[in-house]
């Protein structure tokens, strides 16, 4: 038997667009010709003389006459004889078709038609030569199964079964004419069945979906159990981690069925709005797009440490027929779009070749401080990283911070749920009291949520005032009386809310305090970034042109180019400028804009609040708190009265092996300590700790530091909040670019994830994407 090889010696023009037929001399010859050939009946098909690719029946028409041609694409047809060979129950091929049909019906949702069988099982594979100076497409003979490793190594004329290649250079052979047509839009519109990939990298992520709804072939489903038999509750818990033991549990790029509200997650069976806008040609049938997008996303999450290239992805596009050529052609566009969006090829990557064309890469960063990071600032004076600013990651699933930690091999510490509430005097509060007051506290917030649904109540009011109003009404209506301790526990929960808002509740909008909760948020573990955010920021900054100690004084965008001047008088010109200064500095006009920023933007800037919290960290000679908190990551301090609320509300144990506690000052307490010396703040904190651990001796701290974000000249704040009378829309307005020259990023421009490092980072990705697209 001859070794299976590439079908390169077959006629180059087997079907597809044809040159005009030669004029025949007589009508008789024309009649003869009509009997000998039959055109494809599909309207618009260019194949004048179709060729049967199947060659299944002994009576196959090959390139001759058949009573009917079945059209799969403009270059791919099968004859009526081969149709009968599989479709008729008395024919030899019927059992093969019937058994395929059973698998397809068990796993898939689409109709298991004979055309689908031919496309899925009988069309030949096409493969591209990997030589850079060739890249021609070749058709494999039917016996050869395409694999990703073959696609990665294939060269023209490659022989199989260890047969050596002899003869002239096979790359010089012309490419089949049908390949050139595949790129045309008319070719795609004449495609009968969308491509369904086999062995897609997305498969383990999408076991809970019908494969053909997410661009994969039901005949290649990894599950032996038909999907119809898998119960919904089983579907929900299937995670790709079981398929890839090394896969980070925080990587969940696809929604599972019946799941929602998870940030940076896509529906694998549906195009997003921005995808429809970018790829309108797939709006009628998105299967090809979904197959490629799902493959790309899965490939990236399986290996996020290397740049994902079109070449790597193309090898995993396993689908029969010329449509594979089209899929590989479309891949570049989809890959570029997803890179620009920051869904792939993001984070901390060492990039050998640029991901974007030359003009986008000439970037200069002007930094006012003598360090990078802004409100991220790690203090290492105590022998470990203690964040003077951000250090906690709230929700790690799909969080880009978790991705960067995976890329750098950094482990974050998962924070436990237990937080004992300790009273001054040293008593630990009964957890049932905390549970009860937590329930009432959340019930109050639920009533606030109901109140704002009433559109006739257009008036906003401070959140603190509204909570008091609801609380008093509840006590009157219910007749419930809380004990003194229960009242204090409620104050603890209000203090926590002020920590979340970064402000006293008297400043915060009751209507919009939690505006971002209406968007999908990051779920999963809350973690302490033990190595500090600087470990990631320093890596991100490598190779960038960053000018430290360079405060920007004016930005003049009145001309074609933007002129930037620093306080030292140095000037730069740029096509586009990204402004990332904190909200407080925009409110105080620290930078002079010419012309002034639009009125609408200025109004939005002033409708948000520049929230402030301060931190204190203390290092002790030994861990005096161990026996009482028993391995908890933090403990709460119940304030002795409302006037003490926010003064060291929570203490974090920064490392189980170290002797460092960190606490926060929030709400009205921030103003109390604003003008104190650090030693006075430390004494206040020690007084509280000695009250909480009264039954033992609490040693003097060896070291401590206190933050002063309110006085920090280049931030003057911690994070933003919506002031009374404002709304979440302000974040979007601040984020709007001005004249395609001036762009804005930072946590106060991210409506979905304000107040977070993640939100600030994603706003930068968003603006870079906008700047690259314009």
């Amino acid at each position: 038997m001859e070794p299976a090889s590439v079908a390169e010696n077959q006629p180059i023009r087997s079907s597809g667009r044809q040159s005009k037929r030669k004029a025949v001399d007589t009508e008789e010859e024309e009649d003869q010709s009509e009997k000998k050939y039959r055109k494809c009946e599909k309207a618009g098909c260019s194949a004048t003389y179709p060729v049967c690719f199947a060659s299944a029946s002994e009576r196959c028409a090959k390139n001759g006459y058949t009573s009917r041609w079945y059209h799969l694409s403009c270059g791919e047809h099968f004859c009526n004889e081969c149709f009968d060979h599989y479709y008729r129950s008395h024919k030899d091929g019927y059992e093969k078709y019937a058994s395929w049909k059973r698998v397809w019906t068990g796993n898939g949702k689409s109709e298991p038609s004979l055309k689908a069988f031919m496309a899925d099982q009988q069309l030949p594979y096409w493969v591209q030569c990997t030589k850079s100076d060739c890249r021609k497409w070749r058709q494999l003979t039917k016996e050869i199964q395409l694999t990703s490793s073959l696609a990665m190594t294939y060269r023209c004329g490659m022989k199989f079964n260890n047969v050596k290649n002899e003869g002239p250079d096979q790359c010089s052979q012309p490419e089949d004419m049908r390949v050139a047509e595949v790129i045309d839009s008319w070719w795609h519109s004449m495609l009968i069945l969308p491509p369904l990939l086999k062995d897609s990298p997305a498969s383990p992520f999408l076991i809970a979906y019908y494969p053909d709804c997410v661009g994969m072939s039901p005949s290649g489903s990894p599950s032996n159990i038909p999907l119809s038999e898998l119960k919904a509750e089983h579907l929900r818990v299937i995670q790709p981690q079981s398929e890839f033991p090394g896969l980070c549990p925080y990587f969940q790029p696809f929604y599972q069925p019946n799941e929602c509200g998870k940030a940076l997650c896509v529906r694998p069976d549906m195009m997003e709005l921005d995808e429809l806008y970018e790829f309108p040609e797939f709006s009628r049938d998105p299967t090809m797009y979904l197959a490629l997008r799902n493959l790309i996303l899965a490939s990236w999450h399986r290996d996020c440490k290397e740049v994902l290239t079109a070449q790597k992805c193309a090898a995993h596009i396993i689908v029969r027929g010329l449509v594979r050529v089209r899929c590989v052609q479309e891949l570049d566009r989809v890959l570029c779009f997803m890179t620009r969006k920051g869904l792939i090829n993001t984070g901390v990557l060492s990039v050998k070749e640029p991901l974007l064309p030359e003009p986008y890469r000439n970037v200069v960063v002007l930094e006012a401080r003598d360090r990078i990071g802004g409100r991220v600032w790690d203090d290492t004076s105590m022998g470990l990283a203690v964040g003077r600013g951000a250090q906690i990651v709230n929700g790690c699933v799909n969080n880009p911070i978790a991705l960067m930690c995976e890329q750098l091999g950094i482990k974050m510490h998962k924070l436990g749920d237990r937080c004992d509430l300790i009273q001054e005097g040293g008593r630990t509060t009964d957890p049932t009291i905390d549970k009860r007051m937590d329930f009432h506290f959340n019930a109050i917030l639920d009533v606030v949520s109901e109140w704002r649904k009433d559109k006739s109540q257009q008036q906003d009011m401070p959140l603190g005032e509204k909570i008091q109003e609801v609380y008093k009404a509840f006590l009157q209506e219910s007749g419930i009386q809380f004990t003194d301790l229960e009242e204090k526990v409620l104050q603890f929960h209000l203090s926590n809310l002020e920590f979340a808002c970064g402000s006293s509740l008297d400043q915060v909008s009751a209507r919009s305090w939690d505006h971002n909760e209406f968007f999908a948020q990051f779920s999963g573990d809350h973690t302490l970034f033990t190595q500090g955010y600087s470990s990631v920021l320093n890596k991100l900054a490598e190779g960038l042109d960053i000018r430290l100690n360079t405060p920007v004084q004016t930005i003049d965008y009145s001309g074609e180019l933007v002129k930037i001047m620093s306080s030292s008088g140095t000037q730069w010109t740029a096509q586009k400028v990204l402004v990332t200064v904190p909200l407080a500095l925009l409110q105080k006009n620290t930078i002079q804009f010419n012309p002034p920023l639009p009125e609408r933007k200025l109004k939005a800037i002033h409708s948000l609040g520049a929230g402030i919290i301060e931190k204190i960290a203390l290092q002790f000679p030994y861990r005096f708190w161990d026996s009482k908190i028993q391995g908890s990551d933090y403990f709460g301090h119940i304030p002795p009265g409302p006037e003490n609320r926010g003064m060291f509300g929570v203490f974090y144990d920064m490392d189980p092996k170290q002797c460092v506690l960190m606490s926060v000052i929030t709400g009205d307490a921030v103003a109390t300590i604003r003008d104190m010396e650090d030693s006075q703040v430390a004494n206040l904190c020690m007084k509280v700790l000695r009250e909480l651990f009264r039954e033992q001796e609490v040693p003097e701290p060896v070291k401590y530091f206190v933050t002063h974000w309110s006085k920090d000249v280049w931030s003057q704040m911690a994070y933003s909040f919506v002031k009374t009378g404002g709304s979440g829309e302000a974040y979007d307005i601040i984020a709007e670019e001005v004249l395609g020259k001036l762009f804005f990023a930072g946590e106060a421009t991210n409506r979905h994830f304000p107040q977070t490092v993640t939100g600030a980072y994603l706003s930068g990705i968003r603006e870079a994407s906008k700047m690259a697209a314009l």
Side-chain angles (χ1 to χ4, degrees), residues 130 133 183 194-195 210 290 303 325 339 351 454 456 487 511 532 535 546 566 570 584 610 615 660 700 727:
T130 53
D133 56 348
I183 194 67
Y210 287 111
L290 294 175
D303 181 12
V325 180
T339 299
V351 181
D454 181 1
S456 63
E487 288 278 4
R511 283 205 170 281
S535 56
I546 302 174
S566 72
T570 314
K615 293 168 101 174
V660 177
E700 282 295 312
S727 82

Side-chain angles (χ1 to χ4, degrees), residues 516-732:
N516 60 309
E517 292 297 323
F518 298 102
F519 304 107
Q521 294 298 299
F522 292 106
S523 58
D525 298 342
H526 290 234
T527 56
L528 183 70
F529 206 152
T530 41
Q531 290 192 32
Y533 273 107
S534 300
S535 56
V536 160
L537 290 191
N538 292 336
K539 198 75 186 160
L540 283 171
E542 277 179 14
L544 295 182
D545 184 356
I546 302 174
R547 315 288 171 92
L548 299 176
N549 300 306
T550 310
V552 170
Q553 204 163 40
T554 61
I555 298 177
D556 185 338
Y557 62 105
S558 57
E560 198 172 318
L561 289 174
V562 187
K563 291 177 188 160
I564 305 102
M565 187 184 281
S566 72
S567 55
S568 67
T570 314
Q571 263 206 347
W572 289 266
T573 57
Q575 289 176 308
K576 294 166 189 179
V577 170
L578 177 58
V579 179
T580 61
V581 301
L583 176 74
L585 302 191
L586 288 174
Q587 289 174 338
K588 291 177 181 175
N589 302 320
T590 308
I591 297 174
Q592 297 294 310
F593 291 94
N594 181 35
L597 294 177
E599 196 55 44
R600 158 185 166 87
K601 192 182 281 286
L602 290 171
K603 194 178 170 192
I605 286 167
H606 290 284
S607 74
L608 295 182
I612 298 173
I613 66 153
E614 300 293 3
K615 293 168 101 174
I616 181 169
L618 307 106
Q619 185 173 33
F620 295 95
Y622 58 89
R623 297 171 58 84
F624 64 85
W625 56 91
D626 263 354
S627 58
K628 196 160 188 170
I629 72 159
Q630 297 170 337
S632 279
D633 291 310
Y634 34 57
F635 55 91
H637 158 220
I638 292 185
E643 68 286 352
N644 305 86
R645 188 171 92 199
M647 196 69 85
F648 320 114
V650 180
F651 285 88
Y652 290 84
D653 184 351
M654 293 308 290
D655 188 301
K657 294 190 182 109
Q658 305 273 357
C659 312
V660 177
L661 288 176
M662 184 270 286
S663 191
V664 286
I665 300 118
T666 60
D668 289 335
V670 171
T672 310
I673 65 123
R674 181 182 160 92
D675 296 319
M676 285 185 181
E677 295 291 322
D678 287 7
S679 57
Q680 293 175 291
V681 180
N683 288 339
L684 270 181
C685 191
M686 288 306 298
K687 195 175 166 207
V688 167
L689 282 170
R690 289 189 168 120
E691 276 294 329
L692 301 186
F693 295 87
R694 195 188 274 186
E695 70 286 351
Q696 66 190 80
E697 193 181 324
V698 175
E700 282 295 312
V702 181
K703 277 183 187 165
Y704 59 82
F705 70 71
V706 179
T707 64
H708 298 280
W709 290 107
S710 63
K711 292 179 172 179
D712 183 297
V713 67
W714 298 120
S715 59
Q716 301 181 35
M717 66 179 293
Y719 41 79
S720 62
F721 65 92
V722 180
K723 286 200 293 201
T724 307
S727 82
E729 194 192 359
Y731 286 91
D732 285 343

